Amino acid sequence: TACNGVNETSSRSHLVVRARITTTATLDARTTTTTGHLNLIDLAGSERLKATCAAGDRRREAQHINRSLSALGDVIAALGNGSRHVPYRNWK
């Protein structure tokens, strides 16, 4: 990690948590098991370049991070909306 104008130890870490939830119900001597998955994803946040005072390589890195997070947001939105086209390669 490296410091920037926003905080002393800028964290670029990600967190992925996947929980499997299983429930079992018995009705009329018949047992049914249902399993679902909950995915929680926290990505390294995008930061406003003005606020970070980033320059040089650090500025370019921040710009790439911001663009890739934006592209990921487009993919998630398309998947959530049931879009026929999902822009997996929307990176420029």
Side-chain angles (χ1 to χ4, degrees):
T1 61
C3 68
N4 62 36
V6 176
N7 61 28
E8 292 178 11
T9 56
S10 179
S11 174
R12 293 231 165 78
S13 60
H14 308 297
L15 173 69
V16 177
V17 176
R18 184 171 198 201
R20 184 173 74 184
I21 302 157
T22 304
T23 183
T24 304
T26 304
L27 181 64
D28 297 329
R30 184 174 171 199
T31 302
T32 304
T33 301
T34 304
T35 301
H37 293 93
L38 175 64
N39 297 300
L40 303 172
I41 302 170
D42 181 15
L43 299 174
S46 63
E47 298 168 337
R48 303 243 182 257
L49 288 175
K50 272 186 185 177
T52 63
C53 302
D57 288 342
R58 182 129 353 254
R59 181 180 182 85
R60 281 187 291 284
E61 178 188 24
Q63 288 170 328
H64 284 290
I65 290 169
N66 289 347
R67 268 190 247 134
S68 65
L69 288 174
S70 179
L72 178 61
D74 293 343
V75 169
I76 292 169
L79 290 171
N81 294 332
S83 178
R84 291 175 53 110
H85 172 70
V86 179
Y88 289 112
R89 296 183 181 166
N90 197 21
W91 173 258
K92 295 178 183 176

